[in-house]
Amino acid sequence: MTILYGATLAVIAAAGLLTLLRLVRGPLALDRIMALDVLVTMTIAATAVGSVARDDTTAIPVLVVLALLAFIGSVTAAHLVEKREGMR
């Protein structure tokens, strides 16, 4: 199972690098906001995989809080972008 966990973390790391590329190059603010949201989600997923690999459940409350903060941040950022687009 260790190989499976390593492969999963490698795929998440590769996706994280591609997401960082979108974060840097994204032409619109909404692209960057979505890239940050995906990056936080991948961080949560990588932490969850690491927690399962170590049979450690102490990180679960932290993961729930991070997921809620990511959701609230995404909704707030989308609302602000929508407001800014309406001002043009």
Side-chain angles (χ1 to χ4, degrees), residues 1-12 48-50 52-55:
M1 285 301 250
T2 306
I3 295 172
L4 183 63
Y5 296 138
T8 305
L9 290 175
V11 169
I12 291 174
V49 169
V52 169
R54 289 187 313 269
D55 287 331

Side-chain angles (χ1 to χ4, degrees), residues 13-75:
L17 289 175
L18 291 173
T19 304
L20 282 175
L21 182 67
R22 172 52 62 194
L23 182 66
V24 172
R25 296 183 70 196
L28 300 175
L30 200 53
D31 291 333
R32 290 186 172 97
I33 291 168
M34 289 308 298
L36 278 173
D37 186 41
V38 170
L39 199 61
V40 170
T41 303
M42 283 190 290
T43 303
I44 292 168
T47 306
V49 169
S51 180
V52 169
R54 289 187 313 269
D55 287 331
D56 183 24
T57 60
T58 58
I60 291 175
V62 174
L63 295 177
V64 171
V65 169
L66 275 175
L68 288 172
L69 285 175
F71 173 74
I72 291 170
S74 296
V75 170

